[in-house]
Amino acid sequence: MIKFPDNFLWGAAASAPQTEGHALLNGKSHTTWDRWIELNPEKFNAGQGPKDTSNVYELYEADIKRMVEIGMNSYRTSISWARLLPDGKTLNKEAVAFYRDYFEKMNQAGIKPIINLFHFDMPWWLMEKGGWETRESVDAFAFYAKTAFEEFGDLVDEWATFNEPLVHIECGYLYGFHYPAIVDFKKAIQVGYHTLMAHFLAVKAYRETKQKGRIGIILNVTPTYARSEEAIDQKAKQNADLLIIKSFLDPCVLGTIPTELVDLVNEHKLTPITKTGDKEIIKDYPVDFIGINYYQPMRVQAPENPRTPAVTTSDLFAPYDWPEKRMNPYRGWEIYPEALYDVSLMMKNDYNNIPWYVSENGMGVAEEERFMNDKGIIEDDYRIEFMEDHLEQLHKGIEAGSNCFGYHTWTFVDCWSWLNGYRNRYGFYRVDLENNLERTLKKSGLWYKELSQNNGFEIGER
Ligand code: BGP
């Protein structure tokens, strides 16, 4: 039997844009997602957009009961910036009432809310001005963060500023999966820098408004694995570590942007515009904890024909396709639980053993109705196996002294996923799109209940 530390957080994560629905109702203004589907519906799987998400706006009370039913003691979701402050300045009273009731009901049910401020959902009014490309976005975000702390700080003890900031940077400015879907490395770095400063000004606002809880950031990082020990592959690893791992972890935890990263960015003529005083803010406002979303490892090799200055990240490090990899074929992601042990050690050894938790881990599978038994329950043993394998590695990391305080899965109820719509399902509860968004428990939900009740599980039982 492996046992996790006392008071371990067992729960799941989601986000406002992926669950709330009511995307253009109740005073909410457009985000980039709401606008993008109007402009380019063909980009979205089955034309499914944020309007079609699982209607938590109306169903949250019943959903909270479902959380309790499967033994969750915590839940992360986000506030929608465009709902709380539709024009960036004016408070939407209806949104305040909605979120207050949502968070209050969670607390009453013994579900600790962990509330995140930004999950890829840039308000359209700000995007029209350049979004994270402009410094204005940093101040606008700080105002939003301060408003959220003031409105909900009495109900929420755990806050996060951003979910996976690298994703809106890479997917929006390098890889084409998020609006504005352009390829511009220099803009990507500027967007990254402004995101980082927005994070810091939010933490500053948190400290200045003297909140009672903790604030952190959710990052998708793991150690990088290089193809070989050869110098060229190691150089690629070093570049990836700087851009993907250390770019946020170092300033957020250690209070500095690594000099090697500054040199790399300067060498490739990607230097962002900064402001006097930024360095001091970075030094003065470290986070209290880190959330780590982990799905797949990052494997790299030396790029074949790198350009200088680099035009995109593949000029600095190329993806490496490890021949021995195990795959989740639906999502196209490698399954490598061992990385959770490595990340535990990385947090312990390189980041002062700061408190951290697994803020997302899970397995997206398409057409899950194939696995439905005659009682209508989806027998998702693959998901249970996936999570047990990861938990075993995490447990090893905790035994080695890493300061991990919880494990959240992605996700609780099947949810909408950006361009992929409802193709891949991740939930402990199935959502029936044809039948009023009805939720049905999957086998993994029952397993999770047992896991959290026992605060552990029997290895090799299955
Ligand atoms: C993470 C995001 C989530 C979620 C998840 C699953 O990167 O934080 O928003 O979507 O990945 O990935 P996907 O939905 O792309 O299958």
Side-chain angles (χ1 to χ4, degrees), residues 207-334:
R207 307 285 183 229
E208 285 173 356
T209 53
K210 306 218 177 316
Q211 301 292 323
K212 61 187 167 106
R214 303 194 295 179
I215 188 159
I217 185 166
I218 312 275
L219 302 172
N220 49 326
V221 291
T222 67
T224 313
Y225 303 96
R227 171 178 57 183
S228 75
E229 291 299 313
E230 273 182 51
I232 48 166
D233 287 336
Q234 289 299 314
K235 175 75 188 153
K237 172 180 154 54
Q238 197 192 338
N239 289 341
D241 276 344
L242 288 171
L243 279 163
I244 310 294
I245 317 286
K246 294 169 185 273
S247 52
F248 277 85
L249 256 182
D250 278 30
C252 293
V253 179
L254 308 175
T256 48
I257 299 177
T259 324
E260 298 90 328
L261 177 58
V262 176
D263 293 346
L264 183 71
V265 160
N266 290 342
E267 184 193 331
H268 289 276
K269 307 203 177 344
L270 301 168
T271 317
I273 300 165
T274 61
K275 213 171 141 181
T276 324
D278 284 355
K279 250 194 195 157
E280 287 66 37
I281 294 176
I282 292 174
K283 186 166 66 52
D284 292 344
Y285 293 100
V287 288
D288 301 312
F289 71 90
I290 290 289
I292 291 197
N293 292 353
Y294 176 66
Y295 294 89
Q296 54 168 344
M298 180 151 88
R299 298 192 187 276
V300 297
Q301 60 184 346
E304 280 199 355
N305 299 303
R307 292 160 289 189
T308 310
V311 176
T312 182
T313 47
S314 59
D315 293 313
L316 300 172
F317 56 89
Y320 170 55
D321 192 9
W322 186 39
E324 287 162 51
K325 68 182 186 295
R326 202 173 121 204
M327 286 294 286
N328 168 1
Y330 310 100
R331 190 58 182 82
W333 285 346
E334 182 186 339

Side-chain angles (χ1 to χ4, degrees), residues 18 119-120 163-164 167 293 295 331 333 360 410 417-418 420 424 426:
Q18 292 175 276
H119 201 121
F120 315 158
N163 175 77
E164 300 188 356
V167 169
N293 292 353
Y295 294 89
R331 190 58 182 82
W333 285 346
E360 284 181 31
W410 187 269
S417 165
W418 321 111
N420 281 333
N424 298 315
Y426 286 85

Side-chain angles (χ1 to χ4, degrees), residues 44-61:
F44 291 74
N45 174 65
Q48 292 158 336
K51 266 215 297 259
D52 304 322
T53 61
S54 32
N55 197 12
V56 161
Y57 197 86
E58 288 176 36
L59 304 178
Y60 62 95
E61 264 196 83

